[in-house]
Amino acid sequence: MEKIVILTGAGISAESGLSTFRDEGGLWAQHRIEDVATPEGFARDPALVHGFYNARRAHAAQAKPNAAHSALARLQRDWPGDVIIVTQNVDSLHEAGGAEDVIHMHGSLAGALCAACGHRWAAPPEMAVGEPCPACHAPAARPDVVWFGEMPYQMDVIYDHLANARIFASIGTSGQVYPAAAFVHEAIAGGARTVELNLEPSAGSSSFDETILGPATETVPRWVNKLLGQR
Ligand code: BJW
């Protein structure tokens, strides 16, 4: 059956009240990437990094899924083939909206990771500097998120899905961060039709067969209705 692979970014959660990174006033306008989103930044000032992620974890816990998250969950339920959701987001709004088996390629605010042994466990609401790993007891707990220079999660699984996709959709991402920004090319190589849904054309917009511009809460439910109506 026809497989749909969907890549989502911060734009899909914007209307749930969560900040994007690169829009005006976004997270990278308020924080230096080198300080809060690199392993070197964490080594230099773990308290600053924990503070950044503790605040985002608390904020994300208050957020509710929006019509775009719900529409993708409906597509997963009603489409006769597989619908694979790969998100760059560290919030859990796809799951809260009813989606299943979401691939969090950049990790999750809900997770903790041991910087010493790689053990992963559920994060407490607030993480503190030097918290011990429950497996190896090293005082090296960090947020289980993927920073610049680190390998995103489940890349083999994702590339396999992209090679077999009939439709590839990219939703709410600026297309400035790799390897996610190159997924469209993997999908094209596998023969997929490609569509971008974003507020404005992304960095890789010209690579897509179709671009649908507008807020995700409007464009995504309309796109899902169209897909489900045409089968
Ligand atoms: C709406 C909307 C609404 C708003 N409706 N739309 C030179 C060339 C190529 C690559 C590199 C290079 N130098 C270094 C690299 C690699 C580097 C990279 O890409 N750097 C670039 C800056 C150039 N990448 C890495 O290091 C990655 N690892 C890696 O490459 O490993 C090696 C490897 C090799 C081969 C294969 C595989 C791997 C790791 C990247 C980790 C990124 N981490 C972050 C932080 C995660 C934790 C956290 O959340 O804090 O991930 S950075 C940040 O950016 C976060 C996001 O997931 C990611 C993408 O951002 P996103 O989602 O696109 O958000 P925005 O804000 O950029 O865009 C939002 C969009 O929504 C906008 O377009 C708006 O218009 C739109 N929007 N409201 C619809 N209502």
Side-chain angles (χ1 to χ4, degrees):
M1 236 338 177
E2 296 194 336
K3 180 184 288 205
I4 302 177
V5 178
I6 297 167
L7 171 71
T8 66
I12 197 167
S13 296
E15 290 164 87
S16 292
L18 300 184
S19 295
T20 61
F21 295 92
R22 296 169 185 81
D23 292 314
E24 207 181 317
L27 289 167
W28 294 162
Q30 301 161 47
H31 306 271
R32 278 164 38 98
I33 294 179
E34 302 78 13
D35 290 341
V36 297
T38 63
E40 294 78 14
F42 184 65
R44 256 193 324 269
D45 192 344
L48 177 82
V49 177
H50 277 308
F52 175 67
Y53 284 99
N54 284 342
R56 286 181 57 204
R57 194 178 296 107
H59 194 186
Q62 303 299 320
K64 300 274 180 283
N66 64 46
H69 298 105
S70 308
L72 294 186
R74 184 159 56 86
L75 183 64
Q76 248 188 351
R77 277 195 304 275
D78 294 350
W79 184 253
D82 287 341
V83 175
I84 309 297
I85 299 176
V86 180
T87 189
Q88 298 170 86
N89 298 343
V90 294
D91 64 56
S92 300
L93 293 179
H94 282 300
E95 290 87 344
E100 291 182 352
D101 301 326
V102 178
I103 299 177
H104 282 268
M105 65 176 289
H106 289 166
S108 168
L109 289 169
L113 166 72
C114 176
C117 76
H119 180 66
R120 298 164 79 187
W121 68 100
E126 292 245 319
M127 294 186 72
V129 177
E131 260 171 47
C133 165
C136 76
H137 308 293
R142 55 164 275 188
D144 187 11
V145 299
V146 177
W147 289 322
F148 284 104
E150 298 183 322
M151 183 61 81
Y153 287 121
Q154 291 189 255
M155 290 309 300
D156 290 352
V157 175
I158 296 170
Y159 284 134
D160 197 46
H161 285 309
L162 291 168
N164 294 298
R166 184 75 193 85
I167 299 171
F168 171 73
S170 171
I171 303 176
T173 175
S174 62
Q176 296 193 44
V177 176
Y178 289 84
F183 286 176
V184 61
H185 302 296
E186 299 289 330
I188 290 168
R193 179 173 169 74
T194 58
V195 55
E196 165 171 272
L197 297 96
N198 211 40
L199 206 50
E200 59 195 8
S202 74
S205 220
S206 60
S207 301
F208 289 84
D209 294 315
E210 184 184 0
T211 297
I212 302 171
L213 298 181
T217 55
E218 292 174 18
T219 57
V220 177
R222 212 182 301 134
W223 175 70
V224 166
N225 286 345
K226 193 171 153 207
L227 277 176
L228 292 176
Q230 76 189 11
R231 61 184 179 87

